[in-house]
Amino acid sequence: MYKISVEKLDDLFKKASESRTIYLPVDKENGAKFEKWSEGKKLSNALNTVRSAKDFIFPQTENLADFRISGKNIEVRDAHEELEDFVIFGMRACDARSFEILDKVFLAEPVDTYYKNRREHGVLVTIACTKPSETCFCQTFGIDPTKPEGDVSAWICDGEMYFESNTEKGKTFIESISALLEESGSEAVEKQQSETKEILAKLPLKDVKTDAFGGDKLNELFNSPKWAELSESCLGCGTCTFVCPTCQCYDIRDFDCGKEIKRFRCWDSCMYSDFTRMAHGNSRNSQLERFRQRFMHKLVYFPANNDGQFGCVGCGRCLSKCPISMNIVKVMKTLEG
Amino acid sequence: MQSRMIERAKQLLADGTVNRVIGWKKGEFAYDITPAVFESAEEIDKDFVYDDFCGHNLSKYLIKESRKEGKLLAFLKPCDTYSFNQLIKEHRIIRENVYIIGIACDGKADAEKIKAKGISGITGISSDDDTFTVKTIYDDEKISKSEVLEERCTVCKSRKHAVYDELIGDEGEVNENSGRFDMVTKLENMTADERYTFWRNELSKCIRCNACRNVCPACSCENCVFDNPNSGIAQKSAATSFEENMFHIIRAFHVAGRCTDCGECSRVCPQNIPLHLLNRKFIKDINELYGEYQAGVEDEGRTPLTSYTKDDCEPSIVNERGCK
Amino acid sequence: MNETLIPKIGVVTDIRIDTPDVKTFRVVTPDGKKAFEHMPGQCAMLSIPGVGEAMFSITSSPTNTEFMEFSIKKCGCLTSWLHQMEVGQQITIRGPYGNHFPVETDLKGKDLLFIAGGIGLAPLRSVINYVRDKRENYGSIQIIYGSRSKDDLVDYQEIIDEWMKDDGIEVNLTIDREQEGWDGHVGFVPNFVKEVNPDISKTVLICGPPIMIKFTLGALKELGFKETQVFTTMELRMKCGIGKCGRCNIGNKYVCKDGPVFRYDKLGELPDEY
């Protein structure tokens, strides 16, 4: 384990940004947001960013290809971007796990090369949580916020920041800043971990369980009569989807710029009425069906296709952002109850 | 207030006046309340709540609910009644299927403002006049309610109900000096460049979740132009950043003259964009150009933007004002 | 790397008017080759940049080494645009996507019964011609095909000029309503199936409008067919074609990747949401 005084973090960012772009959560008027580090920007103490870290690897809008049309002919241009190496410094354990979930979708054959490209260029430095909130339920999905995953795990205790690398990529990153670090024992970190664990045991959502869910309960849950009551007030907006670090559904659209046509993909939501609409019909016509799809995907279909892994990391963003406060926790509690 | 509402709801269900009640259902913590339809006294006893976090405007749900079998009891706060009237005017709600109980409101709290004070791990909130005691897994905190009011409640335009079948609590007053246009005036006094920067900065945060549109009582089109693949402008996320701005500008134009300033758009925005300012600008302009007008005061009659008179201002006024 | 979301260019070299609202497009690469190899039942994403992209089943047989064909019904924005095309127009094409009818496994050596309604013949035509070209591998072939009218029978010319003339192929046609110049059967496909009363040892491949499939399946069950004998092909809204964009799922199965071909008993295990 290595450490650096929190006061010297600016030096660390300066050094690290020589070879990579550093992104870190910074405090804004309405909560923390990932921004590119530049002189003077401070690492936020906020529990989490308002938007998840998925923007880095699966941006809201991304150009896939460009077309030029002349007469009857079409010319296609690959729109993969040239990327530079970057570090996401200060992700939380939940967001780190969300990358693993997104990997299962985008890196499965056939590999999504736009995603892979971004994923390979990024180093994830995660920071352990010390003050979880009432909306946190990452423990439900086996996530340990006191030992976050990622290429490098970090802890801030008593004015020092401690690092431990978990991967080769992480090791390389630590080496690149090693001049600023000193070796350290892990006592302070262990003490903090056990203190945080005491808090975790007091969280109001600590008892949310996944036992009632999973791929083997597909038809039973799909046919539950409780979806009607759960979905009755749903506005059909995409807030939950877009603040969710694991929601990965997308749309592909064309935009005519005049000179050329850009084919881009953008986040889409299964909550939207046009998500499955075709010229001759819609397989999910009601909001009940669309609402059910989102939760069935996370709690049943995803684990059915991915060795039991659930498509939720318990970050709690949907709990605080849903305009009508309907969310996966209420869905789980109602369905199992 | 809550106990009187529950009592009355149960009476009306029992005597067959209504077969359903739309209100609010309690959540996991103290503030995560969900609008809900209750069909029995048991359901009401179990989950019905009315407190400082019941900000949701229930009027929009009545479009759907009033088309169902039987009469429905709706609890409406003063600002919700303006939306209700406006929807009646637009023939969206079937009036005879709704029994309205007007309920007093002294402003709703914004949970995000509580959290922004660094309060975390909330497990309960109790209120005593203006003081909230917030129970958390850390230390309990005391804050004053006025500090964490929703923006729209800090400039409340009316505590008077525009429509009701009966009232619980006292009839309030229209607040002529709410100060709700102060921020609009501030924006008007900016230079065009400053204003442009302000709005680009705000609107660039938009994630196109459509929460503002879907919650808006004035957005009651059955198929929104932005959802219609044949419209040519149906976009989820935009190919160019300016398109996001267009979404909000077009929406503001479409609800102009019909927006009652209920403020739901800003309440639900996950990115905290002050969308209500666009609507208030229209309202202020309408007041100045066509005379004082508050949408939703009445449930019939023409609106300034849908009735032509020879005294109307010339269209060139837009141009002149833009050059200021 | 397989740049699966970036399409290739296809040139439309022939356009055949099949019915008042169905045209069949022949597509090759700009250098005159097939864009890619496929198996019967697989699909491809066709697009006109700026208009849209959508999934279509490949109607030509893989045994055709020169070109691919797509029979497309005009029903939406993109298909209307495709119907306005002239020969020589370039489009974009990517694929092949999805699974295929099990022509080399479950269907091999079997007597086959094809049942189609309207444009539903399109995906089956690929299998029919594949089986005709590899005749020795399969038993008898029976085709029951119905459409609204004689004019709405897709591939009518090919049916009477080729299929009906083949040895060992029985073709039963029907149209919904009486029509001048039609002396064949009149009536809906499900009832026609019962009248034709095919041997229940046959393996069935079925495609058509959902309502036709539903009632035909009922008819087949009445006759004694089991769900394990019946294969169908599905269509839902698709964007990516590779099981990632998240919209064409039925339960945990993606139609673009795990389908479009499903054996009926397997489909029955999935939620009723298609």
Side-chain angles (χ1 to χ4, degrees):
Chain A
M1 203 165 266
Y2 297 89
K3 69 172 182 183
I4 185 171
S5 161
V6 168
E7 283 170 11
K8 289 190 188 153
L9 272 180
D10 269 348
D11 298 338
L12 185 151
F13 294 140
K14 199 170 195 173
K15 175 73 187 153
S17 58
E18 284 169 10
S19 52
R20 300 172 174 87
T21 310
I22 311 291
Y23 294 95
L24 75 174
V26 292
D27 288 321
K28 308 295 280 184
E29 200 185 331
N30 295 305
K33 181 187 173 201
F34 279 107
E35 283 195 350
K36 192 168 165 174
W37 179 81
S38 58
E39 204 92 45
K41 281 196 182 161
K42 296 282 174 224
L43 181 69
S44 163
N45 286 322
L47 177 64
N48 219 337
T49 48
V50 176
R51 283 176 76 149
S52 85
K54 81 175 170 189
D55 297 66
F56 289 107
I57 47 173
F58 175 44
Q60 179 147 19
T61 306
E62 176 170 34
N63 196 194
L64 300 177
D66 299 323
F67 302 97
R68 278 171 189 261
I69 295 181
S70 51
K72 288 180 174 177
N73 295 333
I74 302 171
E75 189 190 321
V76 188
R77 195 186 68 83
D78 182 342
H80 277 85
E81 274 180 65
E82 284 290 328
L83 293 175
E84 46 187 24
D85 287 343
F86 63 94
V87 181
I88 315 174
F89 193 100
M91 277 171 81
R92 295 297 183 176
C94 46
D95 279 11
R97 175 66 64 83
S98 79
F99 279 29
E100 193 184 308
I101 290 169
L102 294 174
D103 284 352
K104 295 211 159 135
V105 176
F106 290 106
L107 299 183
E109 285 297 329
V111 171
D112 186 294
T113 50
Y114 303 87
Y115 177 91
K116 186 164 183 261
N117 198 10
R118 291 172 194 280
R119 192 76 171 87
E120 281 173 351
H121 279 85
V123 178
L124 317 183
V125 179
T126 57
I127 298 181
C129 302
T130 55
K131 204 184 173 194
S133 87
E134 71 278 9
T135 53
C136 292
F137 59 112
C138 65
Q139 301 174 92
T140 298
F141 302 102
I143 295 167
D144 181 358
T146 71
K147 172 72 179 82
E149 294 157 0
D151 297 308
V152 176
S153 309
W155 294 262
I156 299 174
C157 19
D158 308 325
E160 305 276 350
M161 188 159 193
Y162 295 82
F163 297 98
E164 190 170 69
S165 58
N166 305 318
T167 64
E168 279 304 310
K169 243 187 195 174
K171 225 178 200 169
T172 315
F173 174 70
I174 291 291
E175 275 159 22
S176 76
I177 52 168
S178 60
L180 297 163
L181 304 176
E182 54 180 299
E183 283 205 47
S184 161
S186 56
E187 300 75 21
V189 166
E190 282 158 21
K191 183 166 169 276
Q192 183 199 69
Q193 285 177 317
S194 66
E195 283 165 6
T196 308
K197 280 183 178 146
E198 280 174 32
I199 299 170
L200 291 172
K202 285 191 261 178
L203 288 179
L205 301 182
K206 65 176 190 305
D207 294 325
V208 178
K209 292 280 181 286
T210 57
D211 302 344
F213 305 95
D216 53 330
K217 316 224 173 34
L218 201 150
N219 281 306
E220 175 199 332
L221 290 169
F222 185 92
N223 294 317
S224 168
K226 291 173 183 167
W227 292 112
E229 128 193 23
L230 286 166
S231 64
E232 72 175 352
S233 309
C234 177
L235 298 174
C237 76
T239 302
C240 52
T241 312
F242 292 171
V243 299
C244 177
T246 69
C247 269
Q248 47 56 222
C249 292
Y250 61 80
D251 195 358
I252 297 178
R253 284 167 178 260
D254 288 355
F255 183 75
D256 192 341
C257 308
K259 202 168 66 182
E260 60 181 0
I261 289 154
K262 288 198 173 299
R263 177 158 296 168
F264 66 99
R265 78 157 146 218
C266 58
W267 293 353
D268 202 350
S269 175
C270 55
M271 291 287 196
Y272 287 165
S273 58
D274 66 341
F275 188 63
T276 50
R277 187 195 296 149
M278 296 188 286
H280 61 269
N282 192 340
S283 55
R284 293 195 275 269
N285 252 319
S286 67
Q287 197 56 33
L288 183 153
E289 293 168 296
R290 300 191 278 267
F291 180 95
R292 176 172 59 191
Q293 164 64 19
R294 181 160 186 276
F295 297 102
M296 286 295 285
H297 190 187
K298 293 190 181 307
L299 298 170
V300 179
Y301 306 155
F302 197 84
N305 295 340
N306 295 283
D307 310 316
Q309 176 155 32
F310 291 95
C312 174
V313 295
C315 72
R317 287 186 178 90
C318 57
L319 275 70
S320 36
K321 290 298 183 184
C322 173
I324 59 145
S325 296
M326 179 43 70
N327 53 58
I328 193 161
V329 167
K330 290 183 179 174
V331 167
M332 289 171 80
K333 286 193 167 185
T334 306
L335 286 176
E336 73 183 7
Chain B
M1 174 69 94
Q2 178 182 307
S3 57
R4 286 171 71 191
M5 288 163 67
I6 289 177
E7 191 190 336
R8 190 68 186 121
K10 288 203 269 190
Q11 275 171 6
L12 289 167
L13 273 176
D15 69 19
T17 308
V18 299
N19 65 3
R20 280 125 59 233
V21 177
I22 187 164
W24 299 266
K25 185 176 179 174
K26 58 180 174 238
E28 288 294 317
F29 317 116
Y31 56 80
D32 58 332
I33 281 155
T34 303
V37 175
F38 302 84
E39 290 182 4
S40 67
E42 294 72 44
E43 285 177 19
I44 290 175
D45 280 332
K46 188 165 160 271
D47 290 321
F48 189 96
V49 66
Y50 181 68
D51 64 17
D52 294 305
F53 296 91
C54 297
H56 324 73
N57 182 346
L58 301 181
S59 291
K60 190 169 187 183
Y61 287 111
L62 299 176
I63 299 173
K64 184 177 73 179
E65 289 299 331
S66 73
R67 283 169 163 73
K68 293 182 183 167
E69 188 73 31
K71 200 163 182 162
L72 166 89
L73 164 60
F75 287 108
L76 300 183
K77 303 186 292 293
C79 55
D80 306 346
T81 61
Y82 288 82
S83 306
F84 182 88
N85 260 356
Q86 185 63 30
L87 283 163
I88 291 290
K89 185 185 262 186
E90 294 169 14
H91 308 291
R92 291 294 205 251
I93 293 177
I94 300 171
R95 178 68 180 93
E96 50 274 27
N97 284 347
V98 187
Y99 187 86
I100 303 169
I101 296 187
I103 46 170
C105 170
D106 53 2
K108 298 297 167 200
D110 180 347
E112 291 208 358
K113 285 191 177 171
I114 298 177
K115 294 186 195 182
K117 291 183 166 296
I119 300 174
S120 174
I122 300 169
T123 54
I125 299 173
S126 53
S127 68
D128 183 14
D129 284 330
D130 186 51
T131 308
F132 278 160
T133 306
V134 186
K135 240 171 106 59
T136 84
I137 58 166
Y138 303 103
D139 295 320
D140 291 357
E141 310 257 1
K142 280 198 190 306
I143 45 171
S144 99
K145 179 179 165 184
S146 53
E147 286 176 68
V148 294
L149 273 187
E150 290 183 20
E151 187 280 342
R152 58 180 174 181
C153 302
T154 63
V155 292
C156 177
K157 63 179 180 286
S158 172
R159 292 194 176 188
K160 184 178 156 63
H161 294 80
V163 57
Y164 56 80
D165 294 312
E166 65 179 85
L167 269 183
I168 294 183
D170 299 327
E171 173 89 285
E173 296 289 322
V174 172
N175 183 5
E176 302 290 356
N177 303 308
S178 64
R180 64 180 168 137
F181 297 116
D182 292 358
M183 186 59 196
V184 177
T185 309
K186 212 168 141 188
L187 284 168
E188 285 170 345
N189 291 334
M190 286 180 176
T191 65
D193 280 348
E194 285 167 346
R195 206 159 46 234
Y196 183 76
T197 308
F198 173 86
W199 279 114
R200 286 289 279 178
N201 179 41
E202 290 295 345
L203 297 179
S204 66
K205 293 192 249 169
C206 174
I207 57 173
R208 281 309 292 275
C209 68
N210 293 312
C212 52
R213 179 195 68 183
N214 292 13
V215 82
C216 176
C219 271
S220 60
C221 293
E222 286 183 6
N223 191 7
C224 174
V225 68
F226 290 103
D227 280 350
N228 180 355
N230 299 325
S231 70
I233 52 163
Q235 299 289 350
K236 291 202 169 110
S237 162
T240 67
S241 66
F242 199 75
E243 276 187 72
E244 263 132 35
N245 306 11
M246 290 308 293
F247 168 74
H248 293 292
I249 293 165
I250 291 171
R251 211 180 75 76
F253 267 96
H254 197 190
V255 302
R258 303 186 299 116
C259 168
T260 65
D261 197 11
C262 78
E264 284 285 87
C265 47
S266 293
R267 177 183 70 82
V268 301
C269 178
Q271 295 289 96
N272 300 96
I273 302 170
L275 293 163
H276 63 278
L277 291 175
L278 287 174
N279 305 321
R280 280 194 195 150
K281 166 65 178 162
F282 275 104
I283 295 169
K284 184 167 178 286
D285 277 358
I286 288 168
N287 286 345
E288 287 168 8
L289 299 175
Y290 302 100
E292 289 287 320
Y293 176 75
Q294 170 62 49
V297 170
E298 289 131 8
D299 62 6
E300 57 186 7
R302 303 204 115 201
T303 68
L305 297 185
T306 55
S307 57
Y308 168 76
T309 72
K310 284 183 179 166
D311 301 329
D312 282 354
C313 63
E314 291 300 319
S316 59
I317 192 150
V318 176
N319 189 29
E320 286 159 26
R321 290 158 66 97
C323 293
K324 186 163 82 176
Chain C
M1 273 182 197
N2 179 9
E3 299 297 353
T4 182
L5 294 178
I6 300 179
K8 294 178 179 180
I9 300 294
V11 186
V12 176
T13 55
D14 182 63
I15 302 174
R16 191 170 71 231
I17 300 171
D18 269 306
T19 77
D21 58 7
V22 177
K23 285 184 179 180
T24 298
F25 303 90
R26 190 170 289 182
V27 178
V28 296
T29 58
D31 55 0
K33 298 203 173 67
K34 258 172 89 169
F36 42 77
E37 295 302 324
H38 75 282
M39 289 296 283
Q42 280 194 297
C43 300
M45 276 282 191
L46 302 185
S47 137
I48 304 286
V51 180
E53 192 176 40
M55 193 72 101
F56 296 97
S57 63
I58 304 165
T59 39
S60 54
S61 164
T63 49
N64 181 328
T65 54
E66 291 163 26
F67 53 79
M68 277 192 238
E69 279 187 339
F70 298 88
S71 295
I72 297 173
K73 182 172 170 165
K74 185 170 152 180
C75 59
C77 184
L78 176 66
T79 54
S80 298
W81 213 100
L82 290 168
H83 271 246
Q84 288 169 22
M85 285 191 306
E86 294 170 4
V87 168
Q89 175 68 49
Q90 292 191 344
I91 59 172
T92 75
I93 179 166
R94 58 188 177 97
Y97 293 122
N99 66 358
H100 51 83
F101 284 102
V103 285
E104 296 302 321
T105 50
D106 301 39
L107 303 188
K108 223 164 183 178
K110 299 276 165 57
D111 293 332
L112 303 176
L113 169 62
F114 296 88
I115 305 175
I119 187 68
L121 186 67
L124 295 187
R125 180 179 168 235
S126 177
V127 199
I128 292 170
N129 284 332
Y130 183 87
V131 169
R132 285 176 61 229
D133 285 338
K134 297 180 182 271
R135 202 64 199 83
E136 65 284 4
N137 291 340
Y138 305 92
S140 68
I141 300 175
Q142 184 175 11
I143 300 164
I144 299 176
Y145 178 42
S147 223
R148 277 176 304 186
S149 71
K150 180 178 174 236
D151 306 321
D152 288 297
L153 288 165
V154 179
D155 298 311
Y156 187 55
Q157 219 48 49
E158 184 169 304
I159 295 171
I160 52 173
D161 290 349
E162 299 184 30
W163 300 359
M164 282 181 159
K165 288 181 182 157
D166 269 17
D167 284 338
I169 299 191
E170 183 188 340
V171 182
N172 311 94
L173 298 177
T174 184
I175 60 173
D176 291 355
R177 276 174 294 276
E178 295 281 357
Q179 185 182 0
E180 217 170 294
W182 178 261
D183 52 9
H185 187 273
V186 175
F188 295 120
V189 171
N191 286 331
F192 190 38
V193 168
K194 279 196 265 184
E195 288 171 35
V196 171
N197 193 17
D199 192 304
I200 61 162
S201 68
K202 292 184 180 185
T203 301
V204 185
L205 292 81
I206 184 168
C207 186
I211 191 76
M212 178 220 106
I213 295 189
K214 192 180 159 206
F215 284 104
T216 304
L217 202 67
L220 288 169
K221 280 183 177 169
E222 254 178 66
L223 293 172
F225 284 87
K226 295 189 190 70
E227 288 193 341
T228 49
Q229 281 173 270
V230 183
F231 293 85
T232 190
T233 173
M234 305 290 298
E235 186 189 22
L236 288 177
R237 181 101 195 260
M238 296 176 191
K239 284 287 181 174
C240 70
I242 50 176
K244 300 188 198 290
C245 80
R247 50 172 59 51
C248 71
N249 67 302
I250 305 173
N252 64 318
K253 301 291 180 201
Y254 287 97
V255 171
C256 69
K257 191 182 72 172
D258 306 309
V261 176
F262 290 93
R263 204 171 75 184
Y264 242 97
D265 58 316
K266 298 285 177 199
L267 199 56
E269 290 167 10
L270 297 174
D272 183 18
E273 195 174 57
Y274 47 84

